[in-house]
Amino acid sequence: PWIATGMRVFGALGIFVGIRNTHPSFAISVELIKRRIPHTFEASETGQAYRPVDLNDATLLATLLATDPLDLAIKRSNNGVDPKKIRTLVETKQLEGSDIFFITYHSPVSPEDAIAFSAIWAEEINAYTQRLQRSEAHEVLLILQKEVADLEKEMNEANLEILRFSKEKDYFGGESQVSAALTKLSQIELQLETARTTASAKKEQLEKLTEQIHRQSPIDSQLKTANEELANLRATYTDANPLVLAKLQGIDYLSGQIVKLNEKGAQDIDSYTGTPLGNQLYNSILTLDNDLSEANSQILSFEKLQKTTSARIGEFPEIISAYSALEKKRDAITGGLSLMSNRLKEAEIFASGAPGYWQVFQ
């Protein structure tokens, strides 16, 4: 009887102790599949699009047991579980050879708590990795913002440098300006040749008219008349006659005037006026002389313009080379700015809407 009584007593005591020290638990596992970091967009042919770090499996496994998501899951679920005990109620593992990971929660409360907490926990795990990605993207974002600002400053300086060069050299790029200068030079040379031809023709006409007017002097006419009168006087009188002597003196005077006139030459053509033909030739000579002066003035002007334009064309190779170097410098900055601006946009995408590393599989 004592043995039976002892068994009953110790059995009841064991039941009591067991009830006080053991509790039912309700376990549920959530399968998470590793989310591949998405490509945002490849904005250029050079460089690679920005993406957050692709963590290895060991690191990803560690994120499943991070303190932050566990604490937030307890706070959100409000199931009364002691936060200090929570780590004894959860476990994680990876399905070997796959991208699937398990998070398991052993709820000491109820099946409903197991389902609710595991769902919240999975959400908080991914939210935690989203914060990691956003933090990383934000750091990159600050670097890229500085890079973009520096490149924009360089771009402005390059544009100002090109503008200053263009104003200084009067060159704004392109082949049209060179073609225009070559066309202008051709026109100048044509106009110069025309002016030279005109001047040569006017000079030749002027020489002929000057030669003709020299034969139209009134003194020549007077001398001819005086010689005729002398011949008539000699038919009646001897050379000792006063009339003949007076006529001879007059002829000598006229001959001297002709010699003096010939010595002056073309510089004093107004001395050859006095006859209708002489007057006409005189007016024509004056007109031709003005035309010749105008043609010579055009020749000087076109020669000066030809020299200036030729010198300008000779400067073009050096100017074009320097301008091309400035453009290449600006294009290089433009390419870098475009690349950095696109990388900045990519970083902004992850800084504001990071997808995280996890997706609930089942």
Side-chain angles (χ1 to χ4, degrees), residues 7 46 57 103 117 148 152 166 211 221 241 276 295-297 321 332:
M7 290 178 62
T46 59
D57 289 354
I103 57 172
F117 183 87
V148 169
E152 286 176 344
S166 297
E211 183 181 351
S221 179
N241 188 280
N296 287 331
S297 177
S321 177

Side-chain angles (χ1 to χ4, degrees), residues 4-272:
T5 301
M7 290 178 62
R8 290 189 180 96
V9 171
F10 283 106
L13 182 62
I15 292 171
F16 176 77
V17 172
I19 291 173
R20 293 296 302 270
N21 288 278
T22 61
H23 301 279
S25 65
F26 307 90
I28 187 169
S29 293
V30 178
E31 293 182 22
L32 300 178
I33 187 168
K34 181 168 66 174
R35 187 195 298 269
R36 295 296 176 181
I37 303 301
H39 289 273
T40 50
F41 54 91
E42 191 73 30
S44 66
E45 295 180 358
T46 59
Q48 294 185 358
Y50 168 77
R51 291 188 299 162
V53 175
D54 195 2
L55 302 179
N56 59 39
D57 289 354
T59 305
L60 286 172
L61 191 62
T63 65
L64 299 179
L65 288 175
T67 302
D68 281 358
L70 276 172
D71 290 344
L72 290 172
I74 291 173
K75 186 175 180 180
R76 283 181 57 190
S77 64
N78 195 24
N79 57 6
V81 176
D82 185 0
K84 296 179 181 179
K85 188 182 178 182
I86 191 66
R87 286 191 173 275
T88 64
L89 303 177
V90 295
E91 57 179 304
T92 63
K93 68 175 182 178
Q94 180 183 11
L95 183 61
E96 187 176 354
S98 73
D99 290 336
I100 295 177
F101 292 72
F102 295 91
I103 57 172
T104 302
Y105 170 54
H106 301 271
S107 173
V109 181
S110 66
E112 291 76 16
D113 175 61
I115 294 173
F117 183 87
S118 60
I120 295 173
W121 185 26
E123 290 178 7
E124 291 298 336
I125 287 173
N126 197 50
Y128 173 68
T129 60
Q130 288 174 343
R131 291 193 294 274
L132 290 177
Q133 289 179 346
R134 284 197 297 269
S135 177
E136 178 191 346
H138 184 69
E139 292 178 1
V140 175
L141 191 65
L142 294 177
I143 296 173
L144 290 174
Q145 284 174 340
K146 184 179 182 303
E147 290 289 336
V148 169
D150 291 342
L151 287 172
E152 286 176 344
K153 183 179 178 181
E154 290 183 26
M155 174 65 74
N156 291 333
E157 291 175 352
N159 286 329
L160 288 174
E161 188 177 4
I162 290 176
L163 182 59
R164 285 193 297 269
F165 182 85
S166 297
K167 289 181 177 179
E168 180 184 347
K169 301 297 184 181
D170 190 25
Y171 180 75
F172 298 93
E175 297 180 357
S176 58
Q177 203 166 351
V178 179
S179 299
L182 292 172
T183 302
K184 181 180 178 181
L185 180 61
S186 298
Q187 293 174 346
I188 292 170
E189 291 176 343
L190 179 61
Q191 290 172 326
L192 176 60
E193 187 62 29
T194 301
R196 284 173 175 169
T197 303
T198 301
S200 178
K202 296 295 182 184
K203 185 177 181 181
E204 185 177 349
Q205 292 176 13
L206 188 61
E207 290 174 352
K208 289 180 179 180
L209 289 179
T210 302
E211 183 181 351
Q212 290 181 17
I213 200 172
H214 282 170
R215 293 194 295 268
Q216 302 300 323
S217 172
I219 300 176
D220 284 339
S221 179
Q222 292 174 12
L223 181 61
K224 182 179 179 182
T225 302
N227 284 324
E228 291 176 354
E229 291 176 349
L230 177 63
N232 292 331
L233 287 173
R234 280 178 170 173
T236 306
Y237 307 104
T238 65
D239 289 348
N241 188 280
L243 294 175
V244 175
L245 291 173
K247 186 59 68 177
L248 286 171
Q249 290 176 356
I251 290 172
D252 289 340
Y253 173 78
L254 292 174
S255 297
Q257 292 297 314
I258 290 174
V259 172
K260 291 180 180 180
L261 191 62
N262 289 333
E263 290 176 353
K264 293 181 180 179
Q267 303 299 322
D268 192 20
I269 60 174
D270 54 342
S271 300
Y272 297 97

